[in-house]
C-alpha cells in the first residue's frame, strides 16, 4: 500500500483555501487512543497523565498566558536567541527549505524563522504539526501577514506528524522544535524521539531544537509555580479536559498544583496532588480508580540540560551539530544540527 493511500485512510483532508490545507486523523482514531492512554496511565500505582494532553483550546490559551509571566523565563529568553539567528541562520540555508514545526501553538516564535525564510525565497512552505485545533487559527493569521506563504497543517501527535512527513516529497525540510517541550520526555523516550526525527530527515535537512539549561533551583521552581496561579490553573485544566472528552468525574476542588525541582535528575516535576481520599470514574476509558489524600498524579517532567549533555545526546542519535546559540545569562540554548 502506498504512503499516499495510507495517509488518506488514516487522515481526513480539509482544504480551506489555495494556500491553506490541513490533515486530521479520523475522530475515532483520536478518541480511541486518548481513552486507552488515560486508562493505562491512571490505572497504576504511580499515576501520570501525558503532558501532550494539556493543549486543548483552553490549555493552549493558558499556556500563552504563562509565557508572558515574569517568572517564566524560557519564552522571552528563547525569543532573544531567535533574534540572533536573523543574521546567522541564512548561511546554513543554501536553497529552498520547507519549515516544519513540532508544536506550533500560536506561532509567535515561528514568525522569527518565517521572517528569515521569506527573504530568501519567493514562496515559503510551512508545515505545522500540533495536537491542538489552535493550529488552524494561527495558520489563517499567518497567511494574512505573509505573502507567498503556503501552509499544510497536521493536527496530530509529533510521532504521527513525523510519520506523515516521512517520504512526503524530496524538498528539504528545516524541522524546528522550540520551547522546552523536549524536556517533557523521559531520557529514554527523548533518545528514541530524536532517533525518530533523525530517521524522518533526508540528507540536507536541518533540525533546530530549543533546550532549557540547568540553573538555580529557585528560578526553576518559580517558573513552574507562578505567584498568579496561572500554572496551577493550566495544570488543573488537564482534568477538566478528561471530564469533558472522556466523561470523567474529577472534582477540581479536590486537587492542588505541586511543582518541585529534582536536582539529582535535573528536572522540574509537576504534579496534581489529591487533597482527600477519593474515587474517580472515567467512563469512556472504562476506568474506576482510587486516590489517597496527598497522592500525586504526575503531569510533567521538564528536564534541564548541560551543554555537554546536549552535545552527547545529539551525536548519539545521529546528528551533527552545526551551531549552538545561548542567551547572555546562559539560561537557554538553541542548537542547529544536520543528519550525520
Amino acid at each position: 500500500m502506498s504512503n499516499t493511500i495510507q495517509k488518506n485512510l488514516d487522515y481526513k483532508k480539509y482544504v480551506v483555501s489555495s494556500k491553506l490545507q490541513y490533515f486530521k486523523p479520523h475522530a475515532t482514531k483520536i478518541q480511541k487512543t486518548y481513552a486507552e492512554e488515560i486508562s493505562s496511565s491512571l490505572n497504576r500505582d504511580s499515576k501520570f497523565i501525558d503532558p501532550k494532553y494539556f493543549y486543548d483550546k483552553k490549555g493552549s490559551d493558558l499556556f500563552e498566558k504563562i509565557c508572558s509571566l515574569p517568572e517564566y523565563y524560557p519564552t522571552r529568553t528563547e525569543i532573544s536567541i531567535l533574534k540572533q539567528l536573523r543574521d546567522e541562520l541564512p548561511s546554513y540555508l543554501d536553497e529552498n527549505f520547507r519549515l516544519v514545526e513540532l508544536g506550533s501553538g500560536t506561532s509567535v516564535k515561528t514568525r522569527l524563522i518565517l521572517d528569515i525564510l521569506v527573504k530568501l525565497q519567493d514562496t515559503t512552505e510551512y508545515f505545522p504539526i500540533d495536537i491542538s485545533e489552535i493550529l488552524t487559527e494561527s495558520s489563517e493569521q499567518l497567511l494574512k501577514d505573509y505573502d507567498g506563504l503556503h501552509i499544510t497543517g497536521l493536527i496530530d501527535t509529533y510521532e504521527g506528524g513525523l510519520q506523515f512527513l516521512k517520504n512526503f516529497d524530496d524538498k528539504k525540510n528545516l524541522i524546528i522544535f522550540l520551547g522546552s517541550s523536549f524536556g517533557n520526555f523521559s531520557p529514554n523516550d527523548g533518545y528514541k524521539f530524536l532517533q525518530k526525527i533523525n530517521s524522518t530527515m533526508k540528507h540536507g535537512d536541518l533540525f533546530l531544537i530549543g533546550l532549557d539549561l540547568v540553573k538555580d533551583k529557585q528560578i526553576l521552581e518559580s517558573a513552574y509555580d507562578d505567584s498568579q496561579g496561572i500554572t496551577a490553573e493550566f495544570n488543573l485544566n488537564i482534568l477538566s479536559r478528561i471530564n469533558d472528552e472522556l466523561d470523567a468525574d474529577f472534582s477540581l476542588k479536590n486537587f492542588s498544583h505541586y511543582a518541585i525541582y529534582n536536582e539529582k535528575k535535573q528536572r522540574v516535576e509537576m504534579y496534581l496532588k489529591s487533597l482527600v481520599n477519593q474515587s474517580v470514574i472515567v467512563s469512556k476509558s472504562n476506568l474506576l480508580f482510587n486516590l489517597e489524600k496527598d497522592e500525586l498524579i504526575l503531569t510533567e517532567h521538564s528536564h534541564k540540560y548541560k551543554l555537554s549533555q546536549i552535545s552527547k545526546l545529539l551525536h548519539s542519535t545521529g546528528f551533527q551539530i552545526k551551531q549552538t546559540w545561548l542567551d547572555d545569562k546562559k539560561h537557554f540554548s538553541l542548537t542547529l544540527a544536520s543528519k550525520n
Side-chain angles (χ1 to χ4, degrees):
M1 182 178 289
S2 73
N3 285 338
T4 302
I5 294 173
Q6 184 61 47
K7 287 171 190 170
N8 288 338
L9 286 175
D10 292 341
Y11 293 85
K12 184 173 181 181
K13 181 179 179 179
Y14 299 82
V15 179
V16 181
S17 69
S18 61
K19 291 186 174 183
L20 174 60
Q21 62 179 354
Y22 64 95
F23 292 86
K24 185 177 176 182
H26 291 298
T28 52
K29 177 175 179 265
I30 297 174
Q31 192 69 264
K32 183 181 180 183
T33 302
Y34 186 20
E36 286 178 346
E37 285 195 27
I38 293 300
S39 177
S40 173
S41 67
L42 291 178
N43 191 24
R44 57 181 64 199
D45 291 336
S46 298
K47 297 172 175 57
F48 72 94
I49 301 170
D50 194 303
K52 69 188 176 189
Y53 293 120
F54 278 132
Y55 301 100
D56 61 353
K57 180 64 170 69
K58 184 179 179 183
S60 295
D61 290 343
L62 285 168
F63 185 69
E64 290 307 313
K65 290 183 179 179
I66 289 171
C67 290
S68 64
L69 292 169
E71 298 99 327
Y72 195 77
Y73 64 86
T75 301
R76 63 176 176 271
T77 304
E78 187 176 32
I79 286 172
S80 73
I81 303 172
L82 282 166
K83 289 177 179 177
Q84 296 179 36
L85 271 60
R86 288 174 180 166
D87 297 327
E88 299 181 49
L89 188 60
S91 63
Y92 296 98
L93 305 175
D94 56 355
E95 55 185 271
N96 282 357
F97 276 80
R98 174 195 293 111
L99 180 61
V100 178
E101 183 168 20
L102 303 175
S104 62
T106 56
S107 301
V108 174
K109 288 177 283 190
T110 315
R111 291 169 180 268
L112 295 171
I113 302 294
L114 284 175
D115 288 344
I116 296 170
L117 292 176
V118 297
K119 290 180 180 178
L120 300 175
Q121 48 201 42
D122 294 331
T123 60
T124 301
E125 286 186 60
Y126 175 46
F127 197 113
I129 301 169
D130 201 297
I131 201 166
S132 170
E133 297 279 351
I134 199 171
L135 179 152
T136 56
E137 295 177 29
S138 57
S139 293
E140 289 175 353
Q141 187 57 51
L142 285 173
L143 287 173
K144 293 177 184 177
D145 298 338
Y146 291 92
D147 293 331
L149 183 63
H150 294 260
I151 300 177
T152 298
L154 191 65
I155 300 173
D156 200 357
T157 62
Y158 299 150
E159 292 82 0
L162 287 168
Q163 190 60 42
F164 187 97
L165 179 67
K166 193 171 186 177
N167 302 320
F168 187 71
D169 60 20
D170 294 329
K171 185 165 184 176
K172 286 187 178 180
N173 295 311
L174 168 59
I175 302 173
I176 62 175
F177 194 20
L178 304 179
S180 51
S181 298
F182 181 77
N184 295 156
F185 290 107
S186 70
N188 186 50
D189 288 343
Y191 185 89
K192 290 178 181 177
F193 186 64
L194 287 176
Q195 287 183 315
K196 174 77 171 178
I197 293 172
N198 190 276
S199 71
T200 300
M201 293 170 64
K202 304 177 293 294
H203 284 285
D205 286 355
L206 291 171
F207 176 47
L208 181 68
I209 184 170
L211 292 167
D212 200 3
L213 302 178
V214 171
K215 61 187 67 65
D216 180 74
K217 180 178 181 178
Q218 182 58 47
I219 294 172
L220 288 165
E221 290 187 345
S222 295
Y224 290 82
D225 192 9
D226 65 278
S227 57
Q228 297 179 46
I230 306 297
T231 312
E233 188 180 353
F234 171 73
N235 199 10
L236 286 160
N237 181 66
I238 205 167
L239 300 183
S240 295
R241 181 180 182 184
I242 297 173
N243 282 348
D244 294 342
E245 297 183 26
L246 298 181
D247 193 19
D249 65 350
F250 284 102
S251 177
L252 271 60
K253 70 180 190 321
N254 289 338
F255 293 88
S256 64
H257 168 68
Y258 176 62
I260 190 169
Y261 180 58
N262 184 327
E263 293 185 84
K264 183 178 180 181
K265 295 186 175 180
Q266 292 180 203
R267 68 190 188 192
V268 175
E269 299 171 357
M270 202 158 79
Y271 299 93
L272 290 164
K273 180 186 286 189
S274 178
L275 300 176
V276 296
N277 295 328
Q278 56 182 310
S279 297
V280 178
I281 296 171
V282 186
S283 296
K284 290 185 179 178
S285 295
N286 296 313
L287 177 65
L288 166 64
F289 67 96
N290 299 315
L291 285 163
E292 296 181 0
K293 186 176 184 295
D294 295 329
E295 187 172 348
L296 301 173
I297 300 175
L298 174 70
T299 53
E300 183 177 75
H301 283 155
S302 187
H303 289 83
K304 311 305 172 185
Y305 301 89
K306 297 175 182 176
L307 290 174
S308 59
Q309 292 171 330
I310 293 171
S311 178
K312 182 178 179 181
L313 179 61
L314 288 172
H315 283 126
S316 66
T317 49
F319 290 96
Q320 178 182 347
I321 293 176
K322 299 288 189 182
Q323 188 166 345
T324 295
W325 293 272
L326 306 172
D327 62 289
D328 292 340
K329 295 180 179 178
K330 297 185 178 179
H331 279 181
F332 203 90
S333 69
L334 279 173
T335 298
L336 184 70
S338 62
K339 186 182 179 82
N340 231 341

